[in-house]
Amino acid sequence: MAFLAFVACSEDRAPFNYRGLAFTMPVTQFVDSLVARGFAVDSAASDSGQTVVLAGENMPYRVLVAFSGEQLQVVQESYIADNNDSTRVMWQRLHDNLEKELDAWPDCPILKDDHKVANFDTSDGFISVILENTYTPTLTVRYTPKKEEK
């Protein structure tokens, strides 16, 4: 019995990640991994010192990677949609999938028809699903690691 407790407590926990890519990766390796998955760097929208924007021909979203030095700060997906109804459906689908994947209920400080926010608190990061349908359909998913306390 003691052995089982030891194994359970010493189990390696996966670090906070974006679609399987750990936030502990260096930025260049992280971006290279996204490029290998079919994304291309949008150099016109990127700021080489703080952000990289990636888009893929067959991808329904763009990815913004914000960093400081070689440390990832935030990864944000911005979904492309035709109308407000489609973003509402996408928001609900993303919300439900994260609920199942994380086995957790989100904090939803805003739940209106055209503005919804669902914040999922993981052990070492936050995932926010944000819908803002004011003038144009806008749906984003933001991955933010928790800052380590020193």
Side-chain angles (χ1 to χ4, degrees), residues 31-125:
V31 170
D32 288 346
S33 296
L34 288 173
V35 168
R37 292 180 179 189
F39 286 93
V41 174
D42 180 349
S43 56
S46 300
D47 171 2
S48 62
Q50 297 177 352
T51 60
V52 174
V53 177
L54 300 111
E57 194 173 300
N58 297 320
M59 305 294 179
Y61 54 89
R62 295 170 59 89
V63 178
L64 175 124
V65 178
F67 56 92
S68 177
E70 278 295 311
Q71 180 69 42
L72 288 169
Q73 300 295 314
V74 174
V75 175
Q76 179 175 295
E77 297 174 341
S78 297
Y79 283 79
I80 301 159
D82 296 332
N83 58 58
N84 288 349
D85 289 337
S86 64
T87 54
R88 287 184 197 108
V89 170
M90 289 168 53
W91 184 91
Q92 192 63 53
R93 190 176 312 126
L94 289 165
H95 169 275
D96 294 348
N97 288 342
L98 282 168
E99 238 179 41
K100 288 176 189 171
E101 180 183 327
L102 300 171
D103 194 27
W105 290 93
D107 173 34
C108 296
I110 302 172
L111 277 177
K112 300 176 184 175
D113 282 345
D114 287 329
H115 190 186
K116 300 175 191 247
V117 176
N119 296 316
F120 292 88
D121 185 351
T122 69
S123 60
D124 49 359

Side-chain angles (χ1 to χ4, degrees), residues 2 16 23 35 65 150:
F16 186 61
F23 264 73
V35 168
V65 178
K150 296 180 181 181

Side-chain angles (χ1 to χ4, degrees), residues 17-35:
N17 68 81
Y18 168 73
R19 298 186 180 259
L21 300 174
F23 264 73
T24 54
M25 295 173 74
V27 173
T28 51
Q29 184 181 2
F30 189 88
V31 170
D32 288 346
S33 296
L34 288 173
V35 168

